[in-house]
Amino acid sequence: MLWLLGRDRVPAAQRAHREGYGTIDQLGGTVLQDVVILETRASAQKNHYRESKIFVRFEQAFIIVSLLLFSQAFFPFFQVGQPENVMEGNPLLQLLWKVIYGVAFVLILIQRKRVLAILTRDKLSLLLLALIMLSFLWSQAPDITIRRSIAYFGTTLVAIYMAARFTLREQFLMVVWMLLGGAVCSLIVTLVLPDVGKMLHEGSMAWRGIYSHKNQLGRLMCLGAIVCFLIIMMKQWPRWIGWGGFALCSSLLILSESRTAIVVFVVLLGCIPFLYSFRWNVYAQLSLWMSAIMLGVVFTLGVVPNAEILLESFGRDMTLTGRTELWATVIEMIREHPWLGYGYSGFWLGWDGESAYLWMVSNWNPPNSHNGFLDAALDVGLVGLVMILIGFTTRFIKAFRYIRTKQSWESFWPLLFLIYMVAGNLTETSLLDHNSFFWILFISFGFSFASQNGAGKAREQAALTVERGGR
């Protein structure tokens, strides 16, 4: 290239001089300037290896596999022959988490400009992270709090990386493949290895598939059936994938015998028409909502007087299988350390922690409060709980805006997931969980929703432009 430019340099310079454009040296300087620009562009293109298809496929595979493991997939196999207790944990799983954290850290270094561009989107999650990391100072079990807060930090790294690298639509598609993969693996493992894929519960053999517990299978298949329904409505995938996935996930949900997950699934399906109504005109919205309110009143009048009978039909009682009594005792424990709690993961330590008192006064040994919000208050106090509630509020607002601005079925996913998180954490726990699929998605949404501030958008776009080499 340089030889070709040099060959034409003298005649071109003479013509330029005759036509009044300047001297030979001046034109030579211009040519060299062009050469520098061309070489700079070539160098920028070489730096785009991160955008290559192979690297992108690796990133997607890493996220999908990580989410699958964070959902407690294949735990029955990891736990075989491995000593585990509340205090020490599972050595094999701890090694696995360290590998995932390490890969996420390296990827964040590679994509550091993208990551820095989104950090200001959810400052509250960063404050909550700082509170958790510092909670060892007042923890009842500082060693455990330090170890598990580091795990929480690693979990947050994966969530931030996912938000920085992939759009909400891309995240949705990866979640679809992850949930479908878990459903197919659960079906195969349970049919081939029924002793592994099933567990005894209340006298019957409930399915748990590749997961640690039947309730975990139920929670995930609840979400799996919902995302498959959205896939069906998108009409962009082969019909056999959408309908087949919906049928498989719904069947596994029923076979898990997780009553809470089944109820939440019905609630989420019922929410979809109301979410879709936000795209209608005002009169159509009013008609739907007024009809829903009337049905709600009739339903309440019919259910409340017969609540005990209905609960018994689901195998429950008015105490929700002892949960209400447990919650009353937990609230008493929260009052002992109301503001900052007992430190992250510093309460539920069996007979070795503050949970020992709760086990003594109850007729069973629960591993948690069976309420995510109460467990959050135990971990980080009312200060942390308020942060979480504000985080939910801001995500709900942004998710509503996302539905109204995106005319696509997958835009319903963030809001449906948030509704699931609220409903699911009324009787189970997944808030502030380290190494948790559910909490990773919650944190990721906070950093994925675009900033509403114009200056913030400009800074983010500028950072991404630099990262892409000015393309």
Side-chain angles (χ1 to χ4, degrees), residues 95-154:
L95 176 62
L96 181 65
W97 300 139
K98 290 175 182 177
V99 172
I100 293 177
Y101 303 154
V103 174
F105 181 74
V106 172
L107 290 175
I108 284 178
L109 289 180
I110 295 174
Q111 303 287 352
R112 57 190 175 277
K113 292 179 181 178
R114 289 177 182 267
V115 172
L116 291 174
I118 69 163
L119 284 182
T120 56
R121 291 181 179 179
D122 191 8
K123 298 176 183 177
L124 198 60
S125 289
L126 298 179
L127 287 175
L128 183 60
L129 172 62
L131 179 64
I132 288 173
M133 297 296 291
L134 293 174
S135 66
F136 76 93
L137 296 174
W138 58 86
S139 173
Q140 306 299 305
D143 293 341
I144 293 178
T145 296
I146 290 174
R147 187 171 71 245
R148 295 186 181 176
S149 61
I150 292 174
Y152 182 89
F153 178 78

Side-chain angles (χ1 to χ4, degrees), residues 226-449:
I226 291 298
V227 298
C228 287
F229 178 82
L230 296 179
I231 287 294
I232 294 170
M233 301 306 296
M234 287 168 61
K235 298 180 180 178
Q236 296 176 359
W237 290 43
R239 296 180 65 181
W240 67 270
I241 294 180
W243 285 106
F246 183 80
L248 176 59
C249 292
S250 300
S251 300
L252 291 175
L253 172 61
I254 295 172
L255 291 171
S256 72
E257 300 182 15
S258 177
R259 300 178 182 88
T260 300
I262 293 173
V263 172
V264 173
F265 171 66
V266 174
V267 170
L268 291 179
L269 273 184
C271 287
I272 292 177
F274 296 97
L275 300 182
Y276 192 78
S277 71
F278 286 107
R279 296 173 179 171
W280 299 349
N281 59 53
V282 176
Y283 299 105
Q285 289 185 40
L286 286 175
S287 300
L288 177 64
W289 284 91
M290 289 300 295
S291 301
I293 292 173
M294 293 176 62
L295 289 174
V297 171
V298 173
F299 179 80
T300 302
L301 292 176
V303 168
V304 172
N306 303 296
E308 187 171 356
I309 298 175
L310 289 172
L311 287 172
E312 288 177 357
S313 65
F314 279 93
R316 297 288 188 265
D317 53 29
M318 293 300 289
T319 67
L320 299 179
T321 323
R323 282 179 171 85
T324 56
E325 298 170 353
L326 171 65
W327 295 339
T329 309
V330 169
I331 291 173
E332 291 180 10
M333 300 301 293
I334 292 174
R335 289 172 179 167
E336 296 292 326
H337 299 272
W339 300 113
L340 297 176
Y342 292 82
Y344 184 65
S345 296
F347 184 84
W348 293 103
L349 300 175
W351 294 108
D352 298 317
E354 296 291 333
S355 54
Y357 167 75
L358 201 146
W359 282 15
M360 285 190 294
V361 299
S362 62
N363 295 324
W364 55 312
N365 299 338
N368 53 59
S369 301
H370 285 277
N371 183 289
F373 300 98
L374 291 179
D375 275 330
L378 287 172
D379 279 349
V380 289
L382 297 180
V383 173
L385 180 60
V386 168
M387 289 184 184
I388 293 172
L389 294 177
I390 294 175
F392 266 106
T393 302
T394 57
R395 283 167 174 76
F396 268 110
I397 293 172
K398 292 178 180 179
F400 273 112
R401 290 174 179 167
Y402 186 66
I403 288 177
R404 297 180 70 91
T405 56
K406 301 288 184 180
Q407 299 298 316
S408 59
W409 280 96
E410 67 266 20
S411 65
F412 292 150
W413 165 241
L415 189 53
L416 287 172
F417 177 77
L418 291 173
I419 295 172
Y420 166 84
M421 284 291 284
V422 172
N425 278 282
L426 294 178
T427 57
E428 298 295 341
T429 293
S430 61
L431 299 183
L432 294 184
D433 270 1
H434 55 283
N435 305 328
S436 167
F437 162 77
F438 303 104
W439 194 246
I440 281 181
L441 291 188
F442 181 81
I443 295 296
S444 179
F445 284 158
F447 290 101
S448 296
F449 288 118

Side-chain angles (χ1 to χ4, degrees), residues 60-79 92-101 103 155 158 174-175 177-179 181-182 185 210-212 216 220 433-438 440:
Q60 291 172 338
F62 169 70
I63 292 297
I64 292 173
V65 172
S66 297
L67 291 179
L68 192 61
L69 293 172
F70 282 131
S71 69
Q72 299 180 13
F74 305 109
F75 272 31
F77 299 98
F78 289 124
Q79 292 168 345
L92 182 58
L93 286 175
Q94 289 174 355
L95 176 62
L96 181 65
W97 300 139
K98 290 175 182 177
V99 172
I100 293 177
Y101 303 154
V103 174
T155 305
V158 176
M174 288 189 292
V175 168
W177 286 117
M178 169 266 184
L179 290 172
C185 290
I210 60 173
Y211 300 101
S212 59
Q216 186 72 359
L220 292 165
D433 270 1
H434 55 283
N435 305 328
S436 167
F437 162 77
F438 303 104
I440 281 181

